[in-house]
């Protein structure tokens, strides 16, 4: 459920008409609903109240400081995958003891930063990483708390680019050799094993991959314990899908019902790393129609947001619903491509989509854009990145200013001797 709805013919975010925001901040811009963000966080949190747990929001889904701060005030932590995300999380006021650090390619400096901040734990993804982490922690005279990311070889049945728990992916350590990896970690004096981490993929629309993977992980935890390796944290990753169109992913309570029987007697604090399910439907991308164009074979609606603003349709062929910000009675329905200004044929927000025809100057809302929207935006074609706005009731806040041309050249140096 989200708080983007029509009042009469006008699309509102909570109590605010979206067209008024567009007049104020210009287009394109990302727009988030505070009531939706808090509702989604709370629903997820309450679904798992039966087990001791911590929600470490996946910063990669939406890294805006205001949004991270909001979750921090609700008791949330962060799942980070880079020094930059760690910096953001700390800057937003997320307590370090609620931060976990995953990723296959952590470098030495990032390890130092996270050790210095004294984060809850590292999710280690290879033996070389474990050895380097041990060395860095040793140099700093400290001990790194670690979970090994275990790859349970479960097919999450999602897009191949966002499947991460199969044998063939780069992520984690294969469950068949996980025991050896834990035994290696045990010999490293600056590593304290505290957990098991897993994450099988994203936009998962069925509970069974979670059940399968957690059943395997629970067995591993028992096995580790029989070998004297205590596990305090089970980090189950993220991955719960959302409806973009006609998908019917399980509600968090349904997922909880399916996995709590596996989790509740493990004696672990359960960490969750949801991203999309919290923020995906809490945000939209608002764009203005520049032109419409008819060719002998196709109709195009050319808008001022492109693949540099929202890359999901181009990269994964993802579906995002597109709605008019002002509905007009009696408009002809046409099948069109909604495309951006970028010089790439792959620059589209929708392909062969039936919409009510729009005129230049009118606004469109690209729905379900709160996750992996702004965070995957780029400056391709030297386009300044969009503004971000948060609505709370009848108030709104500019939570990220639109980039200016000066931002595009920040840090660049033209040598005198050219
Ligand atoms: N934890 C780990 C270790 C992850 O790699 C991810 C996502 C998450 C948590 C959060 O997953 P979520 O709850 O959001 O599904 N750019 C793609 C999604 C990439 C997901 C990468 N990892 C997209 O736009 O669909």
């Amino acid at each position: 459920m989200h708080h983007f709805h029509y009042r009469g013919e006008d699309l509102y975010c909570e109590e605010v008409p979206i067209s008024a925001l567009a007049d104020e901040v210009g287009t394109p811009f990302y727009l988030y609903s505070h009531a939706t963000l808090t509702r989604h966080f709370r629903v997820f949190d309450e679904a798992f109240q039966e087990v001791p747990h911590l929600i470490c929001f996946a910063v990669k889904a939406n890294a805006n400081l205001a949004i991270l701060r909001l979750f921090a005030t609700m008791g949330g932590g962060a799942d980070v995958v880079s020094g930059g995300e760690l910096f953001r999380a700390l800057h937003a006021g997320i307590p370090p003891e609620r931060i976990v650090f995953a990723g296959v390619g952590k470098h030495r400096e990032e390890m130092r930063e996270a050790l210095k901040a004294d984060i809850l734990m590292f999710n280690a993804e290879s033996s070389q990483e474990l050895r380097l982490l041990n060395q860095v922690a040793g140099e700093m005279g400290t001990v790194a708390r670690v979970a090994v990311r275990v790859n349970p070889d479960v097919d999450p049945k999602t897009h191949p680019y966002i499947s991460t728990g199969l044998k063939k992916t780069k992520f984690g350590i294969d469950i068949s050799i996980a025991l050896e990896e834990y035994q290696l970690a045990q010999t490293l004096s600056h590593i304290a094993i505290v957990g098991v981490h897993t994450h099988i993929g994203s936009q998962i629309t069925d509970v069974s991959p979670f059940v399968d993977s957690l059943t395997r992980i629970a067995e591993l935890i028992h096995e580790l314990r029989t070998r004297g390796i205590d596990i305090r944290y089970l980090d189950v990753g993220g991955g719960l899908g959302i409806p973009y169109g006609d998908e019917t992913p399980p509600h968090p309570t349904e997922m909880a019902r399916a996995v709590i029987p596996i989790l509740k007697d493990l004696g672990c604090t359960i960490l969750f790393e949801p991203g999309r399910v919290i923020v995906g439907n809490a945000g939209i991308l608002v764009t203005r129609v520049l032109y419409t164009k008819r060719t002998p074979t196709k109709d195009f609606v050319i808008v001022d947001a492109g693949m540099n603003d929202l890359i999901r349709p181009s990269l994964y062929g993802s579906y995002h619903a597109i709605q008019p910000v002002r509905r007009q009675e009696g408009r002809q329905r046409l099948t069109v491509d909604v495309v951006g200004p970028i010089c790439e044929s792959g620059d589209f927000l929708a392909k062969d989509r039936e919409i009510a025809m729009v005129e230049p100057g009118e606004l469109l809302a690209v729905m379900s854009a709160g996750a992996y929207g702004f965070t995957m935006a780029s400056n391709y074609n030297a386009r300044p990145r969009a503004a971000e706005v948060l609505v709370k009731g009848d108030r709104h806040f500019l939570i990220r200013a639109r980039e200016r041309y000066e931002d595009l050249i920040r840090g660049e140096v033209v040598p005198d001797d050219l």
Side-chain angles (χ1 to χ4, degrees):
M1 210 202 89
H2 60 70
H3 294 264
F4 299 97
H5 50 87
Y6 286 99
R7 278 198 194 161
E9 304 309 320
D10 291 303
L11 190 61
Y12 275 63
C13 177
E14 302 187 20
E15 307 296 315
V16 179
I18 293 172
S19 58
L21 295 173
D23 290 342
E24 185 179 319
V25 302
T27 53
F29 68 100
Y30 276 93
L31 175 59
Y32 308 108
S33 150
H34 181 276
T36 314
L37 292 165
T38 50
R39 183 192 145 84
H40 288 176
F41 189 94
R42 196 167 298 127
V43 163
F44 197 94
D45 202 19
E46 284 171 7
F48 291 96
Q49 65 189 3
E50 239 183 278
V51 289
H53 70 274
L54 173 66
I55 298 179
C56 295
F57 173 69
V59 172
K60 62 180 83 62
N62 192 312
N64 187 286
L65 293 180
I67 288 177
L68 299 182
R69 171 72 62 87
L70 172 63
F71 297 147
T73 64
M74 298 182 75
D79 151 42
V80 302
V81 292
S82 68
E85 284 192 354
L86 173 64
F87 173 78
R88 281 186 166 279
L90 292 171
H91 203 76
I94 297 181
E97 66 273 15
R98 293 194 221 143
I99 298 179
V100 293
F101 190 170
V104 289
K106 303 177 193 78
H107 59 70
R108 174 184 278 277
E109 205 37 53
E110 291 174 318
M111 290 175 178
R112 290 186 71 86
E113 288 155 13
L115 285 166
K116 189 157 160 266
D118 201 18
I119 64 163
L120 174 57
M121 69 182 191
F122 291 83
N123 293 330
E125 307 222 11
S126 67
S127 4
Q128 288 188 2
E129 181 193 335
L130 275 172
R131 288 202 175 88
L132 179 62
L133 183 57
N134 181 56
Q135 192 191 326
V136 175
E139 287 161 13
M140 294 175 68
T142 187
V143 170
R145 286 177 293 275
V146 164
V148 172
R149 176 166 176 176
V150 175
N151 182 342
D153 193 26
V154 164
D155 186 354
K157 300 190 181 68
T158 183
H159 191 287
Y161 285 13
I162 53 177
S163 289
T164 52
L166 281 166
K167 264 189 196 319
K168 61 185 183 196
T169 65
K170 68 176 177 179
F171 297 101
I173 286 166
D174 197 274
I175 193 156
S176 61
I177 54 164
L179 216 51
E180 291 156 42
E181 217 58 43
Y182 272 98
Q183 279 163 341
L184 160 74
Q186 233 183 349
T187 66
L188 303 172
S189 50
H190 294 278
I191 296 286
I193 301 168
V194 294
V196 176
H197 174 234
T198 191
H199 170 80
I200 54 173
S202 197
Q203 185 53 16
I204 298 171
T205 52
D206 183 13
V207 291
S208 64
F210 291 113
V211 172
D212 292 350
S213 102
L214 293 178
T215 304
R216 289 180 200 183
I217 299 288
E219 279 165 22
L220 174 68
I221 291 177
H222 290 307
E223 216 169 316
L224 289 168
R225 286 196 177 134
T226 61
R227 285 164 209 242
I229 303 175
D230 190 28
I231 297 297
R232 280 190 278 149
Y233 298 101
L234 167 55
D235 182 341
V236 306
L240 189 56
I242 61 166
Y244 282 95
D246 51 15
E247 303 93 331
T248 50
H251 189 271
T253 52
E254 234 176 286
M255 176 179 169
R257 215 175 308 125
V259 300
I260 282 179
I262 309 168
L263 302 176
K264 74 173 191 303
D265 297 323
L266 281 177
C268 292
T269 297
I270 311 297
L271 308 184
F272 295 94
E273 303 175 342
R276 190 187 320 261
V277 72
I278 309 285
V279 291
N281 278 321
I284 65 173
L285 173 65
V286 181
T287 182
R288 203 176 281 281
V289 176
L290 296 172
Y291 306 103
T292 60
K293 176 166 158 174
R294 173 155 273 185
T295 73
T297 49
K298 245 184 179 339
D299 283 303
F300 293 96
V301 172
I302 302 165
V303 298
D304 66 1
M307 66 190 285
N308 73 298
D309 299 299
L310 179 67
I311 202 173
R312 302 192 71 259
S314 306
L315 188 58
Y316 314 114
S318 304
Y319 173 91
H320 284 263
I322 296 186
Q323 295 183 9
V325 170
R326 186 174 173 77
R327 294 191 292 208
Q328 307 267 4
E329 282 277 312
R331 284 278 174 93
Q332 187 193 358
R333 293 191 72 82
L334 273 184
T335 299
V336 302
D337 282 6
V338 180
V339 302
I342 297 274
C343 297
E344 299 265 351
S345 299
D347 176 28
F348 59 88
L349 298 174
K351 256 201 174 337
D352 297 321
R353 182 76 57 84
E354 191 189 304
I355 62 166
M357 203 47 203
V358 280
E359 300 291 339
E362 290 178 349
L363 296 166
L364 291 174
V366 184
M367 307 304 287
S368 314
Y372 308 106
F374 191 92
T375 51
M376 294 180 81
S378 78
N379 291 122
Y380 187 39
N381 280 195
R383 284 168 48 83
R385 286 180 303 170
E388 291 180 288
V389 177
L390 176 69
V391 161
K392 182 179 184 188
D394 59 4
R395 293 182 296 153
H396 68 277
F397 309 93
L398 182 65
I399 58 171
R400 184 182 177 114
R402 182 179 310 287
E403 285 181 339
R404 296 158 307 143
Y405 289 151
E406 291 72 38
D407 296 320
L408 297 177
I409 56 173
R410 188 163 6 107
E412 287 183 46
V413 176
V414 180
D416 288 337
D417 190 17
L418 277 184

